[in-house]
Amino acid sequence: MATATAVKGNHIGGREVSAPSGMSTFTSVNPANHADVVGVFPRSSEEEIAEAVKAATKAFQTWSTTPAPVRGDVLLRIAERLTEEKESLAQLMSREMGKVLVEARGDVQEAIDMAKYMAGEGRRALGATYPSELRNKWAMTVRAPLGVVGCITPWNFPIAIPSWKSFAAIMAGNAVVLKPAEDTPMLAARFVEILESAGLPPGVLNVVHGLGEEAGEALLHHPDVKAISFTGSVEVGRHVAKVCGEQLKRFSLELGGKNAIVVLDDADLDLVVDGAIWGAFGTSGQRCTATSRLIVQRKVLAPLLERLVARARKLRIGPATDPATEVGAVINDTQKDRILSYIAIGKEEGATLLTGGNALTEGAFHAGSFIEPTIFSDVRKDMRIAQEEIFGPVLSVIPVDDFDEAIEVANSTPYGLSLSIYTASVHATFQAIERFDAGLVYVNAPTIGAEIQLPFGGTKQTGNGFREAGATAFDEFTEWKSVYIDYSGQLQRAQIDTEA
Ligand code: NAD
């Protein structure tokens, strides 16, 4: 693996624009080895955002009038190019973001699947016809693109999330300015290069690097940006809502989660252990859908905990670039400290630490940000570790007496992203589907593993009602037009009583 430091510029109007000398920069480093600098990037602000919006506005003129099936053909070629680059992107992702290789390949695969799906949308009718209440009159709907849209993305799915947003946006005929997370800029830089190598016209996707409070803020405020598609924390999401609300600008929010698996006493415990380990410790717990609570009926609590703890202790921790690693580093030291502070809170609140709980700092671990897979038991639903998003490899086990209490506990957080139930009962399954307050519901599977053809998003503070992925993604990026065509040759008046 090459470790040379690349100096990258923004990608605007089809070319890389080097940062002028003297401009502030920031670096992206390998979370498993902070001495490994992946790249140096410009700390952009209003000026660079304005330049990108200008390029996008120009590209929009041509792209929005390009027939949708032709736009779809470009997306199909993007799928092919991403397939060719799948391994190189996965390797880069392991280095820049710390996701283990097998999961990094999955992250890229999501983008490939999304490109194929959206390519097909190019040949599907996006509107509908309706009967008119009058004779010789035709009524239909069409979707129109918005113009220039801004996408702001987090670091935890550094190829998948930019693809969910930008592929839906560009399929609908928009042009995009993407402000990627400051922890994973190199992946965004490669992403746009690959898209353009597949034939995406210059300016349809522009990437501007920088900090949230500088480049991100400038994107939110730019008057020619018609909508903001944001994925990230609740705190920043609330700010996005405020800024966009003041401008009456459309915004979609995909925010945090406090996801849970409910285990009933008739569950297959081997299946639960596999699911909980994958859900809680995959991507080192840094998925918005990560399993952070395990709500267990008391009868099966002891045997389940015994197996779970044994498995968690066997997980191999290490650099994600090593194919043998099962749990990689967490994204950076700030996040590591945040996770450790939650572990301290859990202890103070009286939860029992069953395994883990420490940062790994000896030997090679010293160079990176590593935390042991951690399991707390005796957690109560109102403890902070059961209510707040930790975004790390920490699982809180909450014992319950019966099904009704399990549902109540599952629904007791401010979030509503992903809930799961393990049971053999058809009755309990359908009751849970009905009563879970969440955008994603899993049965006998963990809280992670969404597929791109279904809507993705959550209830309560997880979002503001939009759904990404699938055909519902177009709701974020299009405006409905209702069209009436009167071919009667005379004035016909809807809703007006006809005179006798
Ligand atoms: P974050 O909110 O810190 O940052 C997200 C993005 O917002 C980054 O690009 C950042 O630079 C930008 N940003 C920060 N301040 C800004 C500002 N003032 N104006 C404009 N942009 C600004 O989140 P993060 O730490 O990168 O990601 C983790 C969070 O994302 C977690 O809460 C996780 O649950 C959430 N997430 C949600 C989903 C979902 O679909 N629901 C998916 C992945 C991650």
Side-chain angles (χ1 to χ4, degrees):
M1 172 101 247
T3 51
T5 302
V7 179
K8 298 292 284 182
N10 293 319
H11 197 101
I12 297 176
R15 63 189 189 91
E16 192 181 326
V17 185
S18 308
S21 70
M23 186 175 180
S24 303
T25 55
F26 68 100
T27 54
S28 160
V29 301
N30 181 340
N33 175 9
H34 298 157
D36 174 21
V37 179
V38 179
V40 179
F41 297 84
R43 228 174 101 171
S44 312
S45 56
E46 273 174 36
E47 206 174 306
E48 292 73 30
I49 288 287
E51 205 185 320
V53 173
K54 200 166 149 201
T57 306
K58 184 165 171 239
F60 174 72
Q61 306 304 325
T62 315
W63 183 246
S64 59
T65 53
T66 301
V70 177
R71 296 201 294 258
D73 289 345
V74 173
L75 275 151
L76 203 53
R77 284 199 298 277
I78 288 174
E80 287 163 7
R81 282 289 297 122
L82 285 169
T83 305
E84 287 163 9
E85 297 290 342
K86 181 171 171 178
E87 190 56 30
S88 71
L89 280 171
Q91 294 282 347
L92 176 61
M93 194 180 302
S94 288
R95 181 180 168 213
E96 187 175 44
M97 184 264 157
K99 194 176 281 199
V100 297
L101 271 171
V102 66
E103 293 181 55
R105 291 185 190 112
D107 193 307
V108 182
Q109 187 59 43
E110 275 192 42
I112 296 167
D113 294 343
M114 187 60 87
K116 286 181 182 164
Y117 179 87
M118 285 297 163
E121 284 293 318
R123 286 186 186 271
R124 235 163 267 150
L126 296 178
T129 57
Y130 295 80
S132 166
E133 62 192 55
L134 296 167
R135 291 172 198 277
N136 299 320
K137 191 176 170 192
W138 183 266
M140 65 179 180
T141 55
V142 289
R143 283 188 190 264
L146 303 177
V148 177
V149 301
C151 298
I152 301 179
T153 51
W155 45 265
N156 67 332
F157 278 87
I159 292 293
I161 293 179
S163 82
W164 291 3
K165 293 186 187 301
S166 62
F167 294 171
I170 63 184
M171 185 59 247
N174 301 285
V176 174
V177 177
L178 168 67
K179 204 304 277 170
E182 40 274 63
D183 284 296
T184 50
M186 188 59 92
L187 285 156
R190 281 297 296 139
F191 181 65
V192 65
E193 285 166 5
I194 292 168
L195 265 54
E196 287 186 357
S197 74
L200 188 72
V204 175
L205 175 64
N206 306 276
V207 175
V208 180
H209 301 287
L211 311 188
E213 54 274 31
E214 296 172 358
E217 202 68 47
L219 190 56
L220 297 183
H221 282 93
H222 198 294
D224 295 339
V225 173
K226 301 289 188 260
I228 294 288
S229 176
F230 175 82
T231 299
S233 61
V234 166
E235 188 193 358
V236 179
R238 201 168 268 134
H239 175 70
V240 170
K242 218 179 274 174
V243 175
C244 291
E246 272 165 12
Q247 300 170 83
L248 297 180
K249 184 179 279 189
R250 182 185 300 201
F251 59 96
S252 67
L253 304 175
E254 293 291 340
L255 310 175
K258 191 68 191 174
N259 317 291
I261 289 177
V262 167
V263 184
L264 297 189
D265 56 17
D266 63 352
D268 174 338
L269 293 191
D270 289 334
L271 204 58
V272 173
V273 172
D274 285 345
I277 292 285
W278 177 233
F281 303 126
T283 318
S284 306
Q286 303 169 111
R287 291 174 179 245
C288 52
T289 52
T291 307
S292 60
R293 296 177 298 152
L294 198 62
I295 301 165
V296 187
Q297 259 191 297
R298 285 184 206 278
K299 200 171 138 197
V300 290
L301 186 62
L304 178 58
L305 287 182
E306 196 183 322
R307 292 187 219 184
L308 203 57
V309 168
R311 276 283 291 280
R313 286 189 178 140
K314 278 199 199 121
L315 289 169
R316 282 188 300 269
I317 309 169
T321 44
D322 177 348
T325 295
E326 291 170 298
V327 179
V330 299
I331 190 70
N332 54 38
D333 272 350
T334 309
Q335 188 58 18
K336 182 179 92 173
D337 292 344
R338 204 178 110 92
I339 298 164
L340 290 174
S341 77
Y342 270 108
I343 292 171
I345 289 168
K347 289 181 195 164
E348 279 161 28
E349 287 179 314
T352 308
L353 181 65
L354 292 182
T355 186
N358 300 304
L360 294 172
T361 51
E362 299 296 313
F365 288 122
H366 183 68
S369 311
F370 291 93
I371 295 198
E372 292 172 326
T374 298
I375 301 177
F376 278 109
S377 70
D378 303 318
V379 177
R380 288 191 318 273
K381 69 168 187 189
D382 54 349
M383 287 181 178
R384 284 184 65 193
I385 57 166
Q387 288 290 320
E388 298 174 21
E389 187 181 49
I390 299 174
F391 226 55
V394 181
L395 179 66
S396 295
V397 181
I398 310 174
V400 290
D401 288 325
D402 55 27
F403 175 77
D404 284 333
E405 189 188 355
I407 296 287
E408 195 236 311
V409 172
N411 288 340
S412 69
T413 77
Y415 299 105
L417 187 52
S418 185
L419 292 174
S420 140
I421 186 163
Y422 279 73
T423 179
S425 157
V426 172
H427 172 78
T429 297
F430 278 88
Q431 282 280 323
I433 294 169
E434 212 173 286
R435 291 169 62 185
F436 274 159
D437 189 351
L440 307 172
V441 171
Y442 291 90
V443 178
N444 293 330
T447 54
I448 63 178
E451 299 181 29
I452 62 92
Q453 65 276 24
L454 276 74
F456 183 94
T459 63
K460 300 189 273 182
Q461 289 187 15
T462 292
N464 65 336
F466 281 102
R467 291 290 185 270
E468 299 205 307
T472 41
F474 290 124
D475 293 339
E476 263 185 276
F477 297 114
T478 58
E479 206 63 88
W480 279 115
K481 261 185 203 170
S482 299
V483 182
Y484 301 94
I485 305 156
D486 191 321
Y487 54 98
S488 67
Q490 59 190 17
L491 173 65
Q492 299 200 89
R493 299 183 299 179
Q495 295 96 36
I496 302 301
D497 293 336
T498 328
E499 284 160 32

